[in-house]
Amino acid sequence: MPALGTFLLLTCFVVAAYAATASIAGAKRQSTRLTESGIGAFYLVTALMSVATAVIMYAFVTDTYAIKYVDRYSDAAQPLLFKLTAYWGGLDGSIMFWVLLLSVFGAIAVRNSRESHRELIPYVVAVIAIVEMFFLFLMVVHNNPFETYLADIPPDGQGLNPLLQNVYMVIHPPSLYIGFVGMTIPFAFGMAALATGYLDDSWLRAVRRWTMVSWLFLSLGLTLGMIWAYEELGWGGYWGWDPVENAGLLPWFTATAFLHSVMVQERRGMLRVWNMTLVIVTFFLTIFGTFMTRSGVVQSVHAFGEDKELGLMFTVFMTLLLVVSFGLLIYRLPLLRARHELDSWVSREAAFLANNWILLFSAIFVLFATMFPTLSEALTGQRLTVGPPFFNKWMLPIGLALLLLTGVGPLLAWRKSTVDNLRYQFLWPTVAALVTGGALLALGVRVWSSGICFAMSAFVTTTLLQEFVRGARVRQQYSGSDLVTSAIGLVARNQRRYGGYIVHLGIVLMALGFAGDGFKQEEQLLLKPGQTVTVGAFTVRHDGIAITQDAQKQMVTAKMTAFQDGKELGTLAPAKWFFNKRADEPTTEVAIRRSFGYDLYVVLAGFDAEQQSATFHVVVNPLVNWIWAGFGILALGTLIALLPERALAVASVKIPEGVTAGTTTTTLLVLLILGGVAIPHAVHAQAPLSDTGAIIKRLPLERELENEILCTCGCRLPAGTCGMFQCQGKEKQLGRLRTLVEEGKDRETILATFVQEHGGADILTQPPDTPFNRLAWALPFVLGIVGAVAAGTVAVRWTRPSSDDAVVPAAAAADPYQNKLDEELRDLD
């Protein structure tokens, strides 16, 4: 079996090489027979990889521990589901899974486009086959998943990492892989267009749907990763700016930019070079993200380990990728000139340009900050840490700016927005934002970032509803149907536009969920049986500890009862699972009581089985479930936008009259209040009337600094968020911090003390203020200024008419019909 698997991989490499060579040779010689043989070989790679996948999965199911990969990631007691998904649980298998997905996607893309893009297909096949060859080469010479033990075959395997034995991790990695691999298809079509010179907009139509599908799966993978971190790691959060998380976020930024800017090219014939650049950069970032997580260039609890030889191979491939791609782009620049210029800065094109600049800036910033520890180590010999506080400080205003543009873009007209048009479009959204902001101030909300997010969300929501209501009313006048039926018909007639609006609504809900983090309440405390603690409106009672065992693990479960405002909600069962093969890596099984406005989140942080006492981390997370609901709406909008034209049937549904943007804004305000906006920010655990546990009191400065100092257990997380079981590194750091705070030390003195005691600034979660480290703080400013100047320069150049076109306005003025047509086109959409 291992020999068969290795043979299949070698055969795939040879067949892929033939597919690339025959396709290009056939295109150059105009030999249909040779081209078709290359395409046939391309399909054969899919078949061979499918067989190889069946072989490795059969090895997992039958416990073939003679294969090293099976031994490292499976054992006899492992459930069948996790045996199958262990296929992509390690480095070797994940590369193999990558090639399988790419071969399947490539075959589908070529099959669907053979007739409509006949001149591009040979080069599409060649590009995809070359990418397949690279990953196959990695497996053949360095990371063979079928490598076997020469002697001493182990009787049982080591087992999959307990953290990965989770239902979300069954879906999360494949979703990200699909998103990553899917971005190869737009890249292949873009390179084919550059190679052949067929640079009309037809290649965009071939890749737009592929980009949307890949973007959707990237979004799904990122969201599932957040849910997994929230439920499995036990630190009360869902996004920690870990390098592996960032690797998936980077291409998401540039793909989002492409999906917006491609509309400008289709509508106005502009941004053609820019769109091609985004396609190249997005694919490059998928390869770079794979390089980060598999070469050891960054430190992460989620990375596959350190492999310098693999990193060198990736570096060579990425260098060739950039040289060839941008070389072709530069060569074809004369064919990529824009057909139109920017008529006004107050237009939808300008809004999309700003949107693209901010998204690209976000990708560059996250990339630089993620790689900064590696760069600092290479240049200064000291590896510094860039943690969540640094990322949050910069990404918060960027996120708010993008949220605002989400509402501004649909309100602006193509080409140019007049003053009357702006007044007509912005009136109700602006009123909604002001009313929401005033209501928040009246309710005593003083978290500025969350308050601004709520006000902007009201602005964007009113914008989207206004677009739907006004469009439905116009359709209602012509169709005579009710408002809801007209709205459904509106969506059915233009799925892409209104599906995009639904995506924006999902983004708003997710933003509200993120804003809720500003009102999070949490406490860590020791409870004996019968003792209780109250956090916010919730009271939790510790009832005891139970210890059970199955074939794979020992489970320590705390039995608890939850109350809200004195009423019993039910039982909670936070637990720690100790797997037999990896007893030193227990998993955290969080107990969560979900509701529309809050999550009651309880973690078993430590226990004494003899005394039946336990240490608990109790968190109240407002609005967190809005994030998951927001993704559901985002996915729905994306699927609607992907539907073929006229795919939606119009149903007749009656609703009450009087639905307006103002009504919806009022509803949003009510939901915000019910969702927890009025929760005071700095509420700590309060002592109930019954017996209370030993609450670990923390001063404000202690709470602030606990996330700016790293834990020393090796998790690379801030001490305040480390979720390791009974972590000595965390307790030591927090204990030392508490001592310094109680001694009256100020912030700078405390940080300097930690740096001195640990022998370097790498104990901090963000670079200290030194000449070299100021580079990390200054770079966002530099990039922002350079990007703004570049965007402004391009906009000025586009809005300045050329001398050749100076006679056009005069000629148009002599034709009243031309003027009327221009005005109608300006106000269209």
Side-chain angles (χ1 to χ4, degrees), residues 760-780:
D762 56 339
I763 197 63
L764 305 180
T765 60
Q766 53 185 333
D769 187 16
T770 63
F772 175 78
N773 296 340
R774 290 190 188 116
L775 176 64
W777 296 97
L779 185 68

Side-chain angles (χ1 to χ4, degrees), residues 797-814:
R797 183 177 179 183
W798 277 343
T799 54
R800 183 180 301 157
S802 62
S803 57
D804 296 337
D805 298 334
V807 297
V808 173

Side-chain angles (χ1 to χ4, degrees), residues 701-774:
L701 181 59
E702 185 181 351
R703 289 176 177 273
E704 178 185 349
L705 292 180
E706 66 182 11
N707 287 323
E708 296 189 24
I709 299 168
L710 281 178
C711 178
T712 57
C713 70
C715 65
R716 307 301 300 172
L717 292 173
T721 58
C722 175
M724 295 296 291
F725 174 67
Q726 294 182 335
C727 177
Q728 297 299 318
K730 172 182 177 178
E731 294 303 321
K732 181 180 178 181
Q733 294 290 79
L734 295 182
R736 180 58 174 154
L737 174 61
R738 188 176 304 115
T739 300
L740 293 173
V741 172
E742 290 175 349
E743 291 175 357
K745 307 293 185 183
D746 59 19
R747 172 191 173 89
E748 299 302 326
T749 302
I750 293 174
L751 294 179
T753 301
F754 273 94
V755 171
Q756 181 180 4
E757 292 179 351
H758 290 272
D762 56 339
I763 197 63
L764 305 180
T765 60
Q766 53 185 333
D769 187 16
T770 63
F772 175 78
N773 296 340
R774 290 190 188 116

Side-chain angles (χ1 to χ4, degrees), residues 49-248:
M49 284 305 304
S50 299
V51 175
T53 295
V55 171
I56 194 70
M57 284 191 166
Y58 180 78
F60 274 110
V61 172
T62 57
D63 299 328
T64 308
Y65 301 121
I67 299 177
K68 293 182 179 180
Y69 186 73
V70 176
D71 169 52
R72 289 197 298 265
Y73 297 103
S74 181
D75 63 22
Q78 199 163 292
L80 177 61
L81 176 64
F82 296 129
K83 284 185 178 181
L84 295 176
T85 56
Y87 169 32
W88 53 74
L91 173 59
D92 305 347
S94 68
I95 295 176
M96 183 176 172
F97 187 54
W98 182 293
V99 180
L100 171 68
L101 291 175
L102 182 55
S103 64
V104 172
F105 289 177
I108 295 173
V110 170
R111 176 67 180 82
N112 291 342
S113 303
R114 286 186 66 176
E115 299 301 325
S116 57
H117 300 89
R118 184 179 297 273
E119 67 282 350
L120 300 179
I121 289 302
Y123 295 91
V124 171
V125 168
V127 172
I128 298 175
I130 290 171
V131 177
E132 290 174 342
M133 288 172 59
F134 167 69
F135 285 101
L136 286 166
F137 176 78
L138 294 181
M139 287 189 287
V140 169
V141 304
H142 191 67
N143 295 98
N144 185 2
F146 294 100
E147 184 179 358
T148 59
Y149 290 106
L150 297 178
D152 299 328
I153 298 174
D156 195 7
Q158 302 172 37
L160 185 66
N161 187 329
L163 288 175
L164 301 182
Q165 298 189 42
N166 178 282
V167 65
Y168 293 117
M169 294 306 288
V170 173
I171 312 170
H172 164 62
S175 299
L176 281 180
Y177 292 154
I178 290 173
F180 272 47
V181 174
M183 294 300 177
T184 310
I185 307 303
F187 174 77
F189 274 91
M191 290 302 98
L194 289 174
T196 60
Y198 288 95
L199 289 166
D200 56 9
D201 293 345
S202 62
W203 75 274
L204 284 178
R205 291 188 290 273
V207 305
R208 182 175 59 82
R209 290 184 181 275
W210 276 104
T211 306
M212 291 178 67
V213 170
S214 302
W215 180 87
L216 175 60
F217 276 98
L218 266 181
S219 303
L220 174 62
L222 293 171
T223 304
L224 289 174
M226 287 193 289
I227 298 175
W228 172 79
Y230 183 64
E231 296 190 3
E232 188 68 22
L233 296 185
W235 55 281
Y238 41 79
W239 188 268
W241 297 104
D242 183 85
V244 175
E245 296 173 326
N246 296 345

Side-chain angles (χ1 to χ4, degrees), residues 162 577-587 725:
W577 290 358
F578 297 83
F579 285 74
N580 299 334
K581 298 289 180 64
R582 300 176 186 243
D584 57 336
E585 300 178 12
T587 63
F725 174 67

